[in-house]
Amino acid sequence: SAVISQKPSRDICQRGTSLTIQCQVDSQVTMMFWYRQQPGQSLTLIATANQGSEATYESGFVIDKFPISRPNLTFSTLTVSNMSPEDSSIYLCSVLLSGRSYEQYFGPGTRLTVT
Amino acid sequence: QKEVEQDPGPLSVPEGAIVSLNCTYSNSAFQYFMWYRQYSRKGPELLMYTYSSGNKEDGRFTAQVDKSSKYISLFIRDSQPSDSATYLCAMSAIGGGGNKLTFGTGTQLKVEL
């Protein structure tokens, strides 16, 4: 498995501002993912972040709203831009361990409230 | 219709009971099937995974996949209060890449003393 940390663990933000969430892994991984988890709904994949290439966004998510950086094999950031109350959610990063293509491991999540 | 359907519960059982958690799906391309456990205010924790049809056992947990019926199950034997959590099923249609997961909404389980 992998040890994954996220910062911040929670935040309350004003409408119209931006928040950057950090994800740190204790080992080098090729693929990292960002998910959103809203109450009563499935985890929804926002984007896949591979080191050395542009992030791949899922339908309904755009780079201007959720820019992602992946500067190295152990770190990624997700920014939630120009926030509205609808962005209130839990944001989770996950990693795919090299050689274990079906096992994703999740961080503890960032609980975001937009007022 | 959602690709993955999961009864949200909540499901309440007495300690020691056998618990059955289930998901149905519509995408016949799904090959990998996973169960995650999520405690309150924590990230999902991978419990079990299976490939294609069949059973897999790990301690008190058994995962079962019936691809012909597009139905997967997780059984918990001798349930404990520490099993109280939300259980999420997840599926992937990609083998070698194994990246995109499609999740159910989760079933909230409470095991009572």
Side-chain angles (χ1 to χ4, degrees), chain A residues 10 31 33 35 37 40 42-43 45 58 92 96 101-108 111, chain B residues 32 34 36 38 41-44 46 49 88 95-101 103-105:
Chain A
R10 60 175 57 224
M31 300 184 77
F33 308 88
Y35 286 84
Q37 187 175 29
S42 311
L43 270 78
L45 180 63
E58 297 298 306
L92 296 143
L96 196 64
S101 62
Y102 39 76
E103 295 182 30
Q104 283 191 33
Y105 293 88
F106 284 81
R111 185 177 295 267
Chain B
Y32 291 89
M34 283 136 279
Y36 285 83
Q38 187 174 24
R41 300 183 181 274
K42 302 287 186 183
L46 180 62
Y49 65 86
L88 302 155
N99 43 37
K100 182 176 178 180
L101 294 181
F103 282 85
T105 52

Side-chain angles (χ1 to χ4, degrees), chain B residues 59-93:
Chain B
R60 297 185 295 110
F61 298 90
T62 299
Q64 207 169 71
V65 175
D66 182 350
K67 288 191 69 180
S68 62
S69 301
K70 296 190 178 68
Y71 188 88
I72 70 170
S73 300
L74 178 70
F75 298 96
I76 306 174
R77 291 183 299 280
D78 188 24
S79 55
Q80 304 295 312
S82 59
D83 295 327
S84 299
T86 297
Y87 290 80
L88 302 155
C89 63
M91 309 177 187
S92 173

